[in-house]
Amino acid sequence: AATSVRAFQDLWIPPLITGKTFDLALGKSSKSLWPGATTHTYGYNDARFWGPTLVFEQGETVRINVKNNLDEPTTVHWHGLHLPAATDGGPHQLIAAGATWSPSFTVRNNAGTYWYHPHPHESTQKQIAMGAGGLIIIRDPIEAKLALPRAYGVDDIPLVLTSRRFNLADQFTFAGDNDKYGDFSLVNGTLDPKVSLPAQFVRLRILNAEIERGYQLGFSDNRKFYLIATDGGLVDKPVPLSRIKLMVGERIEILVDLSGDKPGATVDLMAYNARQPFGFPGGEPGRSPPNGSYLNNLDFRLLRVNVAAPTAAPITKLPPELTRNKFWSEADATERRTLNILRFGPPNREFAFDRKYYDMHTVNHVVKLGAVEAWTIVNDRTFGHSFHIHDVQFKIVARSDGPVPDYEQGWKDSLYIPRGQSATFVTRFDDFASDTDAFMYHCHMANHEDGGLMGQFLVV
Ligand code: C2O
Ligand code: CU
């Protein structure tokens, strides 16, 4: 069983797929997550967990053939991407068992780290928990001109953070809503991972792919690192940090300077005080479901980094400037909306926006094409939630619990709202109008989303 795992395993780096046509097949897999065990999981393209990393070039038109080899329906949502609602892969674009869905769209987003995952209504948690998901790397001319690490798997490393519980037969104990805080940390599906990184600036692309747990990240020697990108691409300038919170659905890219480390040295990427969700008095250490986990309230290692010799052409300097983002301010907004997250229902159906559970046949908001809007998400006093909206990237302009932190000053599509707090973002709904195909907004804690904490909007 997993409790006997002690030896480090090599971090699995998801294979890259490039080009204009991509083939993904979601299926069951029974492979070893650690020596001597066979765990039943879901993965794309036969991955034992998770799936390949898709590389998109901004401006290209891509087609993705998604084959569903499960015996249940699925969908694939391109999280963070700006594209027509009919290609978005939300609950309406169901792919029946055995069927193939082939959306095509033009890549409009900035260079950055995005992801794809199943989104079938009421089965999202299960399919993500079983391992289905993958990263998307978008490249663009602005990012390409910068001296940044971009040798994938060498000095540019994807890190997908999650955790699972295992039973004595080495299987995930997925028991619906009650299993959301794993006892074993997995990075890219690897237990107790280690990776060799060259003694130079390295780039880590980190996704929180958890069901509910948030992370506070840092390094075991408290070294500084530099945030270079948020959910929707580069920030204006690298932001020096020694800790950062990364909540469900959010991505960051950071640069870490290993140039002063001797080959042979080690440093660990850590999760500090994984008490989750922040501001909720749950996440009890060691207690059984729903909110307990043997990782809660601990500082634990996510990844052992073994420093190796530098590469032939190392990145040795931090670029002082990365890009020039133009954000809207609250004054640009021509429409304001307030969404209230309320707790009122039975267990597993506890939360809804404005007391309306998600209904696939109800449009909750209608937005005018091209409108700049300010949305305030007000959270009740019972729990923290990770709000995510499809179609757009936004700028967080206000938080009720204090100033918007430096590391949230970039483009975002997901944001955490502690219990009893609210946050306001401004965005513009451009390009894709439809009278029939809706976009989603929801809590990215997949158990909450499945329970009805989701709504939909049309852009007309
Ligand atoms: Cu990452 Cu609506 O999802
Ligand atoms: Cu939630």
Side-chain angles (χ1 to χ4, degrees):
T3 45
S4 63
V5 173
R6 292 276 64 102
F8 288 109
Q9 304 189 77
D10 287 326
L11 177 74
W12 180 66
I13 305 287
L16 277 189
I17 323 187
T18 60
K20 295 183 191 179
T21 305
F22 299 80
D23 293 311
L24 287 178
L26 177 60
K28 294 188 182 176
S29 136
S30 298
K31 292 196 183 149
S32 146
L33 286 181
W34 67 89
T38 296
T39 306
H40 304 295
T41 58
Y42 292 180
Y44 292 94
N45 297 11
D46 214 29
R48 62 182 182 177
F49 187 93
W50 204 243
T53 300
L54 312 183
V55 180
F56 293 164
E57 298 288 335
Q58 189 187 62
E60 293 278 18
T61 297
V62 296
R63 170 175 300 277
I64 304 121
N65 303 309
V66 188
K67 173 91 201 291
N68 179 8
N69 287 331
L70 299 175
D71 47 21
E72 59 190 295
T74 189
T75 79
V76 182
H77 168 55
W78 320 105
H79 180 127
L81 268 57
H82 178 51
L83 37 69
T87 60
D88 190 44
H92 296 278
Q93 285 95 41
L94 269 189
I95 315 170
T100 299
W101 178 60
S102 298
S104 174
F105 52 83
T106 300
V107 178
R108 308 256 190 153
N109 289 74
N110 294 331
T113 306
Y114 304 83
W115 61 305
Y116 60 92
H117 62 76
H119 215 306
H121 187 41
E122 299 183 337
S123 309
T124 297
Q125 183 192 2
K126 176 193 172 194
Q127 293 187 5
I128 292 180
M130 289 301 288
L135 291 175
I136 298 171
I137 294 176
I138 295 182
R139 305 204 185 278
D140 74 11
I142 294 178
E143 190 267 353
K145 280 203 204 88
L146 295 166
L148 289 173
R150 59 173 70 81
Y152 183 79
V154 177
D155 61 7
D156 182 351
I157 310 289
L159 300 175
V160 177
L161 308 182
T162 184
S163 60
R164 292 295 179 271
R165 283 199 174 96
F166 295 88
N167 65 18
L168 292 175
D170 298 320
Q171 303 309 311
F172 294 157
T173 58
F174 176 75
D177 186 49
N178 280 344
D179 256 310
K180 51 208 180 196
Y181 293 94
D183 290 329
F184 291 88
S185 162
L186 294 167
V187 181
N188 303 349
T190 311
L191 279 154
D192 286 337
K194 67 169 164 36
V195 68
S196 285
L197 296 179
Q200 62 203 55
F201 270 102
V202 297
R203 177 186 201 161
L204 305 179
R205 301 173 183 262
I206 313 179
L207 161 68
N208 179 339
E210 282 277 9
I211 302 301
E212 265 192 14
R213 170 179 281 120
Y215 286 91
Q216 183 170 209
L217 303 172
F219 288 89
S220 50
D221 57 3
N222 296 317
R223 72 179 57 205
K224 275 206 173 53
F225 54 89
Y226 303 88
L227 177 82
I228 59 165
T230 52
D231 298 338
L234 295 169
V235 293
D236 289 354
K237 291 184 176 65
V239 180
L241 297 164
S242 55
R243 294 283 186 271
I244 186 169
K245 285 181 184 175
L246 188 70
M247 309 306 282
V248 180
E250 294 179 321
R251 290 87 63 209
I252 49 171
E253 294 179 22
I254 61 172
L255 294 186
V256 189
D257 184 5
L258 299 175
S259 63
D261 297 75
K262 294 231 161 31
T266 63
V267 61
D268 293 334
L269 175 67
M270 299 287 293
Y272 288 99
N273 188 18
R275 178 189 178 86
Q276 294 313 321
F278 294 105
F280 177 65
E284 298 85 346
R287 222 192 69 188
S288 46
N291 292 318
S293 155
Y294 289 101
L295 295 179
N296 286 345
N297 294 9
L298 296 181
D299 301 342
F300 60 90
R301 180 180 54 233
L302 293 161
L303 177 69
R304 165 60 52 95
V305 174
N306 293 312
V307 181
T311 60
I315 301 291
T316 53
K317 280 201 304 272
L318 198 61
E321 280 198 7
L322 299 166
T323 189
R324 292 196 184 164
N325 289 306
K326 285 206 189 68
F327 299 111
W328 312 284
S329 72
E330 237 174 317
D332 298 321
T334 53
E335 182 80 45
R336 296 195 135 268
R337 295 173 204 261
T338 302
L339 278 59
N340 288 285
I341 297 176
L342 293 168
R343 179 181 204 145
F344 63 101
N348 298 357
R349 224 159 141 68
E350 293 167 271
F351 303 107
F353 289 104
D354 300 304
R355 293 184 176 267
K356 287 188 210 81
Y357 293 120
Y358 176 65
D359 169 11
M360 289 188 63
H361 308 290
T362 302
V363 172
N364 303 91
H365 291 271
V366 178
V367 170
K368 280 215 186 61
L369 182 68
V372 176
E373 299 205 354
W375 288 33
T376 299
I377 316 301
V378 181
N379 192 6
D380 77 2
R381 302 208 58 81
T382 57
F383 208 87
H385 295 282
S386 285
F387 181 88
H388 168 55
I389 185 167
H390 293 202
D391 182 30
V392 293
Q393 293 287 331
F394 56 73
K395 175 73 162 76
I396 305 173
V397 294
R399 281 186 171 281
S400 62
D401 52 342
V404 180
D406 286 348
Y407 59 79
E408 284 189 334
Q409 301 288 352
W411 293 112
K412 296 285 295 165
D413 56 51
S414 306
L415 86 169
Y416 182 69
I417 307 163
R419 65 173 182 158
Q421 303 297 336
S422 65
T424 300
F425 63 79
V426 179
T427 189
R428 189 163 72 192
F429 296 86
D430 274 332
D431 302 315
F432 304 117
S434 168
D435 291 331
T436 50
D437 295 301
F439 290 106
M440 306 295 122
Y441 57 83
H442 56 91
C443 177
H444 217 288
M445 295 173 176
N447 51 318
H448 297 173
E449 169 188 340
D450 283 348
L453 184 46
M454 177 151 71
Q456 53 194 3
F457 63 97
L458 286 175
V459 180
V460 298

